[in-house]
Amino acid sequence: MTKLVVLKFGKGSFEIGFPVTLQIGEENSRAETEVIGELPPDEELPLNFNCWQGIYRNLDFSARPKGLPKLQKVISTDAECLQASQKLRDRLNQWLQSETFRDIREKWLEKLQKSDRIRVILQTEDYQLQKLPWHLWELIERYPNAEIALAAPSYDKVSFLPKSATKVKILALLGDSDGVDIATDRQLLEQLPDTNIHFLVEPSCEDLTDNLWQQNWDILFFAGHSSSHTTGETGQIYINQTESLTISQLKYALKQAVERGLKLAIFNSCDGLGLAREFASLQIPQLIVMREPVPDRVAQTFLKHFLQAYSQGQSLYLAVRIARERLQGLDGQFPCASWLPVIYQNLAEIPPSWDELGMGRGQGERFVSPSPHLPISPSPSVPSFVENSTNKAKRSKFHLLWLIFMSLIIGGLVVSGRYLGMLQKLELQAFDRLQELRPDEEPESRLLVVTITEEDVQSQSQEKPQGSLSDQSLLKLLKKLEAYQPRAIGLDIYRDRPVKSDLPELQKYLYNSKHLISVCRVSDPLSEHPGIKPPPEISQERLGFSDLVFDPDIIVRRHLLALTPPPSSPCKATYSFSVQLALHYLAADNISLQFTKDGAWKLGETTFKTLTAHTGGYQGIDASGHQILLNYRSHRSLKTFVPQVTLTEVLTGKVNAGTIQNRIVLIGTTAQSFQDYSSTPYITREGAIEKIPGVLLQAQMISQLLSAVLDERSLLSTWYIWQEIIWILAWSLIASLLVYYIERLFYLSIVTGIAIASLYGISLIFLIKWSIWIPLIPPIISFTIAIIVTTYFMKNYLNLSKSARVVVITKNRDE
């Protein structure tokens, strides 16, 4: 947040003191705070300054500026200069800590945060006050994003003529170069990207005025010799070796340049404070001058760092502060080098960003509002000002509406592509990764899985089994299990053959058992699979189909509850194996399958919302039958979520009755040789798709049904289509707003990364807390494309990223 602080000094002197008014407000609004204070008399302070100035101006520079004679014959030493500067700093801060100034200081500390970007304007007509090194005020140094500028008591707003420049135009005046290295300044300017620079090297007065009159310039740059009158009211520049000009001699040409859009003048030359004070009457928006004689290296170092910071997006004030503080590294060779640069501000104008320099702006685009709290005085009231962030002044509501329109078009295209199934693969993969991040759940205690391993198959070799389980072993197993009173037994093994005639006991058991549920497979016309017949001894009421629904990547993410078998199918079961076992288990709790008015399934208080052709990331799928999303239960791994025992352990009596009693017992093979494995959405530590035996997959499905009914464990669900569309369009719209309000690509990239990470986090929270699968990939794509397209559009079609043209004037400096 940018703050504007105005310190207005009334009529006074160091002999009688100064009345001071402090105003604090946000940019582009009226002042929110005003407080009146006073600085007491201090006749020693100007004496301290004069002492320091005399010593500084007599340092051993190899060249002296024209118009500034030496004050004494004795050469000053660096130590003397540093000692005098420290004494001046201490005296200035002691003065600013006076009791009569305390209210202003405390109000500053109360209203301003260290993180604020602050423009401090010192408004006074007193030349001695303006010469003081105000940047050494400990309050300025305490706030890293603050910079102070000088301003005249009188000012006017400039009415710029509209223009359509696409680059920053710089008029660079390279003046009298006697004893001054101007070539380096030229090189620094020529390195600026996307600028239009016109150099005038030691021009005549006529050439200079013609260029000021005939073209539009954004920046006027001068390098060469200059000086100010001792009163500080006038200054002059040396444009060639024989001619010098005062500002008054350029009055009309400079006034015309301002009306044509001149926004910044940089005088990288000596003793420029008098130039700035005289320029103020011409209402030039901003000037940067050197307050004292400046060595070549200091001037060039400042110019280098200022142009670098300013052209890379820093505000004008912060760019000056950065460049000024970089000069401190030269204090060992050039004492007080960091004291020299100073901004002179027209209070009615807003410092432009580098990108704004090339923008043609008409009247009414800058808002200046006088504060109603200012006291009446002979000089104009101090208004509150707006220093817009980089592009705020030039980004209108029209631009915002265009960006919103574009973002909605982009979001609509993403929604359309999603509806056509173009994003289904990516969405399913993203959904899989989100599921893996869910926390582990408690193991399923209502089920027991009896696994038939490779060792179990080998142990039945003498019985000549057909498949993984022989008739003799099946009979023994069923007898053992029945003795322990399970609620239901599920035989997840295909038996499309009758029991052998030599085992009538097994045949009778299969006919009469009320707890045994077996499987068959429904024929599939699409895959031309003929289906698998059920055991002849099992009645229709105790059959369930084992058919699965595979996604295109052969991963099981859906749970098929019921279907209508084709007439030719050998398996006539209408409910799945898992549903039959779950219903059998729930019947003991007096819970039966019911249907709502709209045909949805209902078990207890749980309603099962079936999938449609367009549900969540699924687009255009075959949603026939009753399908729901399969909510896997994960306890460390998918293979350990349910208790398991082997066939041998049951037959040898190594299983306790409590492990079986009142549970659903599933019987199925885990032997690799039978290849009854299905792919899940999870990934192993080695990075491969995790596959689990078919019997464990059936256990997952049964567990989902029981947990939803008895434990209120949420079923996986999705938003309605209209909610998902709004969600995708909203992220596209957010992208356009970010582009509108954040100009710098670096910050925009950071915010983009944060936004995408936030979207991922929101999706994960919805999945963990509410088991809702919300769109992730479509809003990411919509957001990213909108960021790229709208940024490009802003830069290339709305003319919101202009480069600057600079006019350079050669400088006169000491080495």
Side-chain angles (χ1 to χ4, degrees):
M1 180 178 296
T2 303
K3 299 282 189 178
L4 178 65
V5 177
V6 178
L7 276 170
K8 180 182 178 181
F9 283 72
K11 294 285 186 178
S13 67
F14 286 97
E15 289 77 20
I16 63 174
F18 295 91
V20 184
T21 301
L22 170 71
Q23 280 192 326
I24 301 176
E26 294 183 8
E27 292 285 18
N28 204 16
S29 64
R30 294 176 181 271
E32 300 172 353
T33 301
E34 180 175 302
V35 62
I36 297 174
E38 182 179 344
L39 282 169
D42 190 343
E43 297 184 24
E44 288 295 323
L45 185 56
L47 294 179
N48 289 144
F49 174 80
N50 292 336
C51 177
W52 169 82
Q53 186 184 55
I55 293 174
Y56 176 83
R57 293 193 174 190
N58 279 279
L59 290 171
D60 187 17
F61 297 144
S62 58
R64 306 303 299 174
K66 294 184 179 181
L68 273 179
K70 294 181 181 180
L71 299 181
Q72 59 187 35
K73 295 182 180 179
V74 180
I75 300 298
S76 303
T77 64
D78 292 352
E80 290 174 331
C81 185
L82 293 174
Q83 184 179 4
S85 67
Q86 186 61 48
K87 188 174 181 181
L88 176 57
R89 173 200 289 263
D90 294 342
R91 188 73 187 190
L92 174 63
N93 279 289
Q94 181 182 351
W95 187 49
L96 294 174
Q97 290 179 352
S98 302
E99 185 64 27
T100 55
F101 197 66
R102 182 177 178 180
D103 289 346
I104 288 179
R105 177 185 177 85
E106 290 183 348
K107 187 61 68 175
W108 173 303
L109 294 173
E110 175 189 346
K111 295 295 183 180
L112 299 176
Q113 304 296 322
K114 286 189 177 181
S115 59
D116 290 337
R117 300 179 67 174
I118 307 171
R119 286 201 304 128
V120 185
I121 309 295
L122 184 72
Q123 187 185 25
T124 180
E125 61 182 356
D126 190 287
Y127 184 45
Q128 189 66 55
L129 274 175
Q130 291 183 342
K131 291 196 296 181
L132 293 177
W134 286 95
H135 67 282
L136 299 178
W137 185 10
E138 56 94 12
L139 280 184
I140 299 293
E141 294 185 328
R142 182 183 297 188
Y143 288 75
N145 296 321
E147 180 65 355
I148 194 164
L150 305 176
S154 301
Y155 53 86
D156 283 313
K157 186 180 185 304
V158 179
S159 298
F160 294 117
L161 294 175
K163 63 176 186 175
S164 58
T166 58
K167 292 186 176 182
V168 176
K169 295 183 63 179
I170 305 177
L171 177 59
L173 174 57
L174 307 179
D176 182 8
S177 60
D178 183 22
V180 178
D181 175 18
I182 289 178
T184 302
D185 295 75
R186 179 165 188 157
Q187 292 174 2
L188 291 172
L189 291 169
E190 289 174 338
Q191 292 173 4
L192 286 171
D194 299 322
T195 52
N196 198 345
I197 307 177
H198 180 63
F199 290 95
L200 291 177
V201 181
E202 296 193 359
S204 65
C205 179
E206 183 179 2
D207 289 338
L208 175 58
T209 54
D210 284 347
N211 276 276
L212 290 173
W213 270 96
Q214 295 172 4
Q215 296 193 49
N216 302 331
W217 304 107
D218 299 307
I219 298 177
L220 174 64
F221 176 85
F222 173 79
H225 291 288
S226 65
S227 61
S228 298
H229 193 270
T230 54
T231 63
E233 298 303 319
T234 60
Q236 60 183 348
I237 58 175
Y238 297 83
I239 59 174
N240 55 53
Q241 296 185 11
T242 60
E243 287 184 278
S244 65
L245 294 173
T246 63
I247 301 304
S248 59
Q249 290 175 290
L250 296 173
K251 176 180 179 179
Y252 297 112
L254 288 171
K255 188 174 181 180
Q256 179 69 16
V258 171
E259 292 178 355
R260 286 177 171 269
L262 180 63
K263 303 176 187 71
L264 174 62
I266 304 173
F267 285 80
N268 207 24
S269 58
C270 294
D271 194 30
L273 199 53
L275 295 172
R277 287 167 62 87
E278 193 170 5
F279 260 119
S281 62
L282 301 177
Q283 310 305 330
I284 291 183
Q286 287 82 212
L287 297 97
I288 299 175
V289 298
M290 298 291 178
R291 63 171 76 238
E292 296 292 339
V294 54
D296 270 340
R297 186 174 175 188
V298 173
Q300 291 156 1
T301 301
F302 171 79
L303 181 63
K304 171 186 174 182
H305 293 301
F306 168 74
L307 292 177
Q308 184 179 43
Y310 191 32
S311 64
Q312 291 181 359
Q314 293 288 356
S315 69
L316 186 142
Y317 275 56
L318 283 183
V320 169
R321 174 160 183 161
I322 291 170
R324 175 171 58 75
E325 291 179 342
R326 294 291 293 268
L327 292 178
Q328 195 170 36
L330 300 177
D331 280 352
Q333 297 175 280
F334 305 100
C336 303
S338 59
W339 290 30
L340 303 182
V342 62
I343 304 171
Y344 211 93
Q345 177 72 51
N346 179 345
L347 265 174
E349 298 299 327
I350 304 165
S353 68
W354 179 261
D355 287 341
E356 289 172 330
L357 283 173
M359 291 293 297
R361 281 180 284 187
Q363 299 184 35
E365 292 187 78
R366 298 182 178 182
F367 175 74
V368 180
S369 174
S371 170
H373 307 297
L374 286 173
I376 298 176
S377 64
S379 60
S381 298
V382 179
S384 299
F385 299 100
V386 181
E387 180 183 357
N388 289 330
S389 60
T390 312
N391 274 341
K392 187 179 288 185
K394 60 188 177 183
R395 300 187 177 197
S396 66
K397 291 182 178 179
F398 171 77
H399 299 143
L400 179 59
L401 290 175
W402 261 107
L403 294 183
I404 292 174
F405 174 74
M406 292 177 61
S407 66
L408 293 178
I409 292 296
I410 292 169
L413 292 174
V414 173
V415 169
S416 300
R418 183 189 194 229
Y419 189 83
L420 295 175
M422 299 170 64
L423 304 180
Q424 178 172 297
K425 181 178 180 181
L426 293 175
E427 288 201 75
L428 293 178
Q429 291 175 349
F431 181 47
D432 295 346
R433 304 291 74 76
L434 289 175
Q435 289 192 84
E436 285 190 307
L437 296 176
R438 294 187 298 172
D440 289 342
E441 300 181 70
E442 293 297 321
E444 177 54 75
S445 60
R446 291 173 290 251
L447 276 71
L448 175 69
V449 176
V450 178
T451 62
I452 302 173
T453 64
E454 291 286 2
E455 292 77 7
D456 294 327
V457 174
Q458 295 299 324
S459 67
Q460 303 173 64
S461 59
Q462 295 178 354
E463 302 172 8
K464 300 180 181 180
Q466 292 180 333
S468 60
L469 186 62
S470 68
D471 289 350
Q472 294 89 339
S473 295
L474 176 58
L475 179 60
K476 294 177 186 178
L477 177 60
L478 293 176
K479 283 184 176 182
K480 283 280 188 181
L481 295 177
E482 282 287 352
Y484 297 142
Q485 299 179 341
R487 280 204 194 182
I489 300 174
L491 183 60
D492 187 27
I493 297 175
Y494 293 126
R495 289 184 59 88
D496 56 352
R497 54 182 171 78
V499 177
K500 293 181 181 179
S501 58
D502 58 348
L503 279 177
E505 186 179 1
L506 176 60
Q507 186 180 47
K508 180 179 178 181
Y509 190 91
L510 294 179
Y511 271 120
N512 297 329
S513 176
K514 297 180 180 180
H515 303 295
L516 181 63
I517 308 295
S518 188
V519 294
C520 57
R521 180 169 178 175
V522 176
S523 61
D524 185 1
L526 295 179
S527 63
E528 299 182 356
H529 194 287
I532 299 176
K533 294 187 298 181
E537 300 84 5
I538 302 295
S539 64
Q540 184 71 26
E541 294 76 18
R542 293 187 289 117
L543 281 178
F545 62 77
S546 62
D547 299 64
L548 303 175
V549 179
F550 296 99
D551 288 332
D553 52 6
I554 320 299
I555 290 178
V556 179
R557 299 184 182 91
R558 290 176 276 168
H559 183 180
L560 181 60
L561 304 178
L563 55 74
T564 301
S568 59
S569 174
C571 177
K572 302 296 183 181
T574 57
Y575 294 126
S576 69
F577 180 61
S578 57
V579 169
Q580 287 282 47
L581 285 168
L583 291 177
H584 199 89
Y585 184 93
L586 295 172
D589 296 325
N590 295 319
I591 299 175
S592 59
L593 178 61
Q594 298 178 349
F595 297 91
T596 63
K597 293 181 180 180
D598 57 359
W601 284 29
K602 188 174 183 181
L603 283 170
E605 299 300 322
T606 304
T607 301
F608 293 81
K609 181 182 177 182
T610 56
L611 299 179
T612 63
H614 296 275
T615 302
Y618 287 110
Q619 303 296 325
I621 61 171
D622 179 5
S624 58
H626 284 70
Q627 301 179 32
I628 61 174
L629 293 170
L630 178 53
N631 191 4
Y632 284 88
R633 179 189 288 269
S634 177
H635 176 72
R636 299 191 181 95
S637 78
L638 296 181
K639 296 179 181 179
T640 61
F641 82 100
V642 63
Q644 301 172 45
V645 295
T646 65
L647 173 65
T648 300
E649 288 173 337
V650 177
L651 296 181
T652 57
K654 295 181 179 180
V655 179
N656 296 327
T659 308
I660 299 174
Q661 187 176 16
N662 211 33
R663 295 191 182 190
I664 295 175
V665 179
L666 280 176
I667 305 169
T669 180
T670 59
Q672 291 282 355
S673 58
F674 288 90
Q675 299 182 353
D676 182 19
Y677 278 75
S678 298
S679 298
T680 71
Y682 290 77
I683 300 296
T684 65
R685 292 182 179 179
E686 293 75 24
I689 294 176
E690 184 170 2
K691 296 184 178 182
I692 60 175
V695 67
L696 292 183
L697 182 62
Q698 293 294 342
Q700 286 280 359
M701 295 176 177
I702 298 168
S703 174
Q704 168 168 257
L705 298 175
L706 297 182
S707 299
V709 177
L710 301 177
D711 303 334
E712 297 183 353
R713 180 176 180 256
S714 298
L715 295 166
L716 288 175
S717 62
T718 61
W719 279 343
Y720 293 105
I721 292 180
W722 64 268
Q723 291 175 305
E724 295 181 333
I725 292 174
I726 292 176
W727 179 246
I728 297 169
L729 294 179
W731 280 93
S732 184
L733 182 60
I734 290 172
S736 67
L737 295 177
L738 292 178
V739 171
Y740 180 78
Y741 286 107
I742 301 177
E743 176 238 355
R744 294 198 63 186
L745 184 59
F746 174 73
Y747 295 128
L748 184 61
S749 301
I750 293 177
V751 173
T752 298
I754 293 173
I756 293 176
S758 300
L759 179 55
Y760 195 90
I762 292 170
S763 300
L764 183 59
I765 290 172
F766 267 82
L767 185 61
I768 293 175
K769 191 170 181 62
W770 298 288
S771 297
I772 299 177
W773 176 18
I774 67 173
L776 174 59
I777 295 300
I780 287 178
I781 294 176
S782 178
F783 179 85
T784 305
I785 294 177
I787 284 283
I788 295 172
V789 172
T790 53
T791 300
Y792 179 82
F793 187 83
M794 289 281 283
K795 179 178 180 180
N796 294 279
Y797 294 98
L798 293 184
N799 294 324
L800 295 184
S801 182
K802 301 296 184 182
S803 46
R805 283 188 69 190
V806 183
V807 179
V808 182
I809 304 176
T810 45
K811 68 184 175 224
N812 183 346
R813 291 186 311 263
D814 305 337
E815 293 181 353

